[in-house]
Structure formats: structure tokens, C-alpha cells
Amino acid sequence: MKVLALEPWYGGSHRNFVDGLIKNSCHEYELVTMAARFWKWRLQGGAQTLARKCSQLAESGFTPDVILASSMVNIPAFLALSRKYIGNVPVVYYLHENQLTYPLSKEEKRDLSYAYINYLSCLAADQVVFNSEFHYNEFIRALPGLLRVFPDYTHLHTVSEIRAKSRVMHLGMNLQAHARYSNTQGSDRDSPIVLWNQRWEYDKNPEAFFRLMNRLDDAGCRFRLILAGKRFEEQPSEFDTAFERYADRILHYGYAEDFEEYSRLLHRADIVVSTAIHEFFGIAMLEAIYCGCHPLLPNRLSYPELIPEKLHKPLLHAPILYDDDESLFTILKAMLMGEERPLPHGTLRGIVEHLDWSVHVEQYDALMASLHQNPS
């Protein structure tokens, strides 16, 4: 079976997802990409470039059975420009994120035209797939509000149409690649190592993280820090301030470009903390968990569905989910003081190993096959 994959934002988690899927799938994929920059232009105008590239594929003899398009694809525009090349092929629309509920900084104002592209793409697709239950619920709840903005012909009934053809499929991940560096775990135990491995942006709420660490430091807790994660030209000032305060206790500062370096950092850490105000999925947290970091995650967003319920607050070990800033402080202080035990590495790995592509790809392969056999 032949699948045409469209990814106009070929970078970061989007790239890792589609590359991992193609590498592990039993189906034949043709991947059409664009560089991961100018996201607004990709969503508005990328369809024309994708359609042109698909016409070249058609000329070479490639005819897809199914199309897999990421959330950066303007599906109605792409189909309008490419139907003469691809015919009436079923389309899967995979939402890594959406522009209706994606959090904005205080300086930004939401441009609903991009959210409307997501909405129209959901309508045009045969199957809509969300990367988490949280993402699906948040988007579906917000859709009526988007449609009511417009003066007439709001088509509110289409929300139920989108709901009927939607499903949740967690991301696949290349977790087993981390296993080769597991011998670094436990090599450096002078004091617990707390990890930050998320993007250095406002939606991950670094302000709350460093406020927490400063409070713990003031309380006399011993710890060291690994501050990894993607950096940008304009980064939150909290990182520079933290570097000044904790310079002698920071084991790594900045983005780890090399996978081996990144994996070794994850294996070296003891505890990973999220203070995110928004998370559609949570790749960074799951990678850290696989590598043996005990996670402390807010009891909201996508996290409760990713952690087995019996481990939310286990009896004999430190909790994973916290309810507010005060409970996070209490849990982490107890862990740093040795009063709460982290979960064993085997238990932590068991939380996420089912998402490794070696096993998780079966769900995606089955979805593509079902659409090919039963097109709408």
C-alpha cells in the first residue's frame, strides 16, 4: 500500500514523527516536505508548493492509496490544486497542534484565520487524528466559539461531523535509541540532579520552574541542574538569571544538538519537572521518563492520560502528578531531602515503552490500511 505523507514543517517533533513512522511502517511512503520556517506562510501558502511537488511524483508514476497530512497542511487548498494528479484519495489529518487553542504570549493576539484553516482541514479530511485526548477535547470544545465569531452561516452542526470522524492516537517515539546510553545512569550521585529539557518558551512556564528551584534553594535543599531544551533568539530572562545564581551547580546549559549528548543528559538526571501551562502531548517528558527520570507533572493537560492511573500517586514512592505549586514544592523538597523515593527505573520505562515505534507503528499501519480498504 502506498501512502503520501505531507509535511510542510519538516523539523523538530514533526520531522521525528514522520521519519519514525516511515522507517517502521510496513507500507510504502513518499514524503513531501518543506523547510521548518515561516509557519504562518506554510499554513497559508504551503499547499501550492506541496501540490506542485505531488504533480512531479505523479509524472514519475507514483499514485497514493492514502494521504497523511500534518496540521501544518491547508488540506482544502492542497486538494483543490492536486485532485487532477491524485484523484479521490482518502486523507488522514494528523494534528500535532492547532491554532485555535495554542497558547499565546501576552504580547500576541490570535489571528483566527489560521484556526479556520485547521477547521476547514478537519472538514475536508476523511479521518482526523489528535495526538492526545486532551488535545481532542480542548479543540472540539473551542470550535463552537470560533464559528460563532462569524455573522451568519456558522455551520455549528459541523462540529459533530468532525467529532464523528476523529480519534486519538498518541505519537510514536524512537525510545529504544536511548537504551544504548543507559549505563550513564547512577554515575554521579553527589546530590540529586533536576532536569529541564523542554523548549525555552513562555508556554512551558520557566518562570514557575525557577521560582520553585529558588524557593527550594532558600530552604537549604541540595541539588544540581541540567538546563537543556530548544533555545530561541528571544528566550525567557529567567534562564540567564538562573545561570548567574546556579552557575557552579549547572551541569549543562543550552540545547543539546547531538542525540547521544542529549540522551546521556537524560540518563544522568534524577528528576524531571514540568510547570507547563500548555502541552498537547509531552515528548520531552516521556523521553526523560524512559531514561529513568522520576517525573513531576501537573495534574492537567495531557499528562494524566499518559501516566497509568495507579502511578499518579503511588503509595510507596513519590507522586508523579501534583495539583498546584505548593504541592509541587512539598513533593520535590521531600525527594531532595531523601524523604520520598523515586520510582524504580524499570517501572518508569514501563510507563512509555509501548509508544516505541517498534510496537506502536501497528496502530498507524492499521489506520492507513482501513482507509484504503474502506474509503469514505
Side-chain angles (χ1 to χ4, degrees):
M1 198 185 99
K2 298 180 179 180
V3 182
L4 173 64
L6 305 176
E7 184 48 84
W9 187 265
Y10 189 55
S13 60
H14 284 228
R15 178 172 183 165
N16 290 338
F17 168 77
V18 73
D19 283 354
L21 173 58
I22 292 172
K23 182 179 179 180
N24 291 276
S25 177
C26 66
H27 302 312
E28 175 188 345
Y29 275 79
E30 280 289 343
L31 177 60
V32 177
T33 69
M34 298 172 68
R37 57 176 182 262
F38 313 125
W39 75 263
K40 292 182 178 180
W41 175 230
R42 291 293 178 267
L43 199 50
Q44 286 277 18
Q48 183 176 2
T49 300
L50 294 175
R52 178 179 57 80
K53 291 186 175 185
C54 288
S55 71
Q56 295 169 351
L57 278 177
E59 290 172 0
S60 68
F62 180 80
T63 303
D65 299 304
V66 177
I67 293 173
L68 172 64
S70 85
S71 43
M72 279 292 180
V73 178
N74 184 333
I75 291 180
F78 171 78
L79 292 178
L81 294 167
S82 61
R83 278 300 189 196
K84 59 183 177 182
Y85 309 117
I86 62 174
N88 191 31
V89 180
V91 178
V92 179
Y93 184 42
Y94 192 91
L95 282 100
H96 294 268
E97 69 286 307
N98 75 83
Q99 301 308 318
L100 176 58
T101 66
Y102 197 98
L104 304 179
S105 66
K106 297 176 182 178
E107 296 77 27
E108 293 179 287
K109 183 179 180 181
R110 193 176 304 279
D111 185 338
L112 293 179
S113 64
Y114 299 103
Y116 205 75
I117 290 174
N118 286 149
Y119 160 70
L120 290 177
S121 294
C122 286
L123 283 181
D126 298 276
Q127 177 79 65
V128 182
V129 181
F130 292 83
N131 58 355
S132 70
E133 194 75 32
F134 163 75
H135 188 185
Y136 163 74
N137 288 330
E138 186 182 57
F139 182 76
I140 293 296
R141 283 196 297 263
L143 267 184
L146 169 67
L147 300 180
R148 289 191 181 102
V149 167
F150 304 105
D152 61 3
Y153 297 101
T154 56
H155 300 287
L156 284 167
H157 66 280
T158 57
V159 176
S160 61
E161 294 179 11
I162 292 172
R163 185 187 298 114
K165 59 180 175 180
S166 294
R167 62 182 293 179
V168 173
M169 292 179 65
H170 291 155
L171 286 168
M173 303 170 65
N174 186 20
L175 294 170
Q176 290 186 4
H178 288 284
R180 72 189 69 175
Y181 307 114
S182 61
N183 59 357
T184 58
Q185 185 70 266
S187 61
D188 194 354
R189 303 294 91 183
D190 290 344
S191 58
I193 299 172
V194 180
L195 169 69
W196 173 284
N197 66 329
Q198 300 172 88
R199 286 182 286 106
W200 295 22
E201 288 193 293
Y202 64 91
D203 62 309
K204 303 308 177 187
N205 201 9
E207 179 182 357
F209 174 76
F210 289 116
R211 187 169 60 244
L212 165 71
M213 301 315 299
N214 292 345
R215 188 179 172 190
L216 290 164
D217 189 39
D218 292 340
C221 294
R222 295 183 61 197
F223 59 84
R224 288 168 297 165
L225 294 169
I226 290 176
L227 303 177
K230 185 74 172 180
R231 297 176 62 180
F232 301 88
E233 290 185 11
E234 294 185 13
Q235 67 185 40
S237 61
E238 289 82 10
F239 286 93
D240 291 332
T241 304
F243 186 80
E244 294 176 5
R245 177 166 179 165
Y246 300 112
D248 60 336
R249 284 179 277 174
I250 294 176
L251 305 178
H252 177 90
Y253 185 85
Y255 185 53
E257 294 279 355
D258 180 71
F259 179 83
E260 178 178 348
E261 179 188 16
Y262 175 64
S263 185
R264 290 188 183 279
L265 290 173
L266 299 190
H267 282 100
R268 191 178 182 187
D270 300 292
I271 303 164
V272 63
V273 178
S274 172
T275 51
I277 59 175
H278 204 275
E279 187 70 84
F280 285 125
F281 185 65
I283 293 174
M285 292 297 106
L286 296 181
E287 287 179 324
I289 292 170
Y290 184 85
C291 293
C293 294
H294 183 103
L296 295 178
L297 311 171
N299 192 13
R300 51 187 172 80
L301 309 176
S302 61
Y303 297 126
E305 71 183 87
L306 296 173
I307 305 298
E309 188 173 356
K310 65 180 181 180
L311 295 179
H312 286 189
K313 296 182 179 180
L315 293 176
L316 301 178
H317 297 86
I320 287 182
L321 301 184
Y322 65 86
D323 296 321
D324 51 35
D325 291 348
E326 191 60 35
S327 65
L328 172 59
F329 171 78
T330 300
I331 296 167
L332 186 50
K333 181 182 178 182
M335 294 188 74
L336 296 177
M337 294 291 192
E339 299 166 1
E340 287 273 19
R341 295 188 300 160
L343 287 164
H345 296 167
T347 302
L348 291 168
R349 180 166 290 189
I351 293 173
V352 296
E353 60 187 359
H354 66 284
L355 295 177
D356 188 83
W357 274 124
S358 62
V359 292
H360 195 43
V361 71
E362 295 177 2
Q363 292 189 23
Y364 287 87
D365 283 350
L367 173 63
M368 302 304 164
S370 67
L371 281 174
H372 175 48
Q373 295 164 4
N374 304 291
S376 59

